[in-house]
Amino acid sequence: QVQLVESGGGLVQAGGSLRLSCVASGRSFSIYAMGWFRQAPGKEREFVGAVTRSGSTTYYADSVKGRFTISRDNAKNTVYLQMNSLKPEDTAVYYCAPVRWGDYEVLNDYWGQGTQVTVSS
């Protein structure tokens, strides 16, 4: 049993920033690499980035590289997505999930409920 709860979304102007949080249940949170994904209306779910178990290494999609930063606090069972220089095309529902490092496949179909990010122009 794993529960993931995303929060921190909202409406921002282009160029603004948001920090998303994903809180996971369970004492074994630290054994999983964690990923962020997003899905915009009419589009398929898209990989955003991921962070290793320890938080020492991150990997990002080209579309967000240099603007987004993923971090984690294992003591709080939380992974973060800091989103800077937001663009209207970043508008989507954002999800977190445990992933396999390297290919970023979602493990065991664990997803949160998502949090809406809307960037206005």
Side-chain angles (χ1 to χ4, degrees):
Q1 293 184 313
V2 176
Q3 283 192 305
L4 301 166
V5 180
E6 299 95 337
S7 63
L11 173 64
V12 297
Q13 295 271 47
S17 298
L18 285 173
R19 188 183 74 160
L20 308 185
S21 298
C22 171
V23 180
S25 65
R27 295 166 49 249
S28 59
F29 173 75
S30 63
I31 74 173
Y32 299 109
M34 294 293 295
W36 284 95
F37 301 79
R38 65 188 183 185
Q39 188 166 26
K43 296 184 178 180
E44 295 184 349
R45 197 185 304 272
E46 175 188 17
F47 173 75
V48 173
V51 61
T52 54
R53 299 172 182 178
S54 68
S56 62
T57 304
T58 54
Y59 177 77
Y60 303 97
D62 287 342
S63 59
V64 306
K65 193 173 299 181
R67 300 187 298 120
F68 291 9
T69 302
I70 298 172
S71 60
R72 68 191 296 163
D73 185 341
N74 288 341
K76 297 180 179 179
N77 279 12
T78 302
V79 61
Y80 304 97
L81 179 64
Q82 178 66 47
M83 309 166 68
N84 298 327
S85 302
L86 283 162
K87 304 174 180 179
E89 50 263 45
D90 295 319
T91 296
V93 178
Y94 284 72
Y95 302 89
C96 64
V99 299
R100 189 184 312 278
W101 190 255
D103 61 13
Y104 313 106
E105 293 279 352
V106 175
L107 302 178
N108 299 318
D109 290 323
Y110 290 129
W111 299 95
Q113 85 290 345
T115 185
Q116 176 72 50
V117 172
T118 303
V119 184
S120 64
S121 59

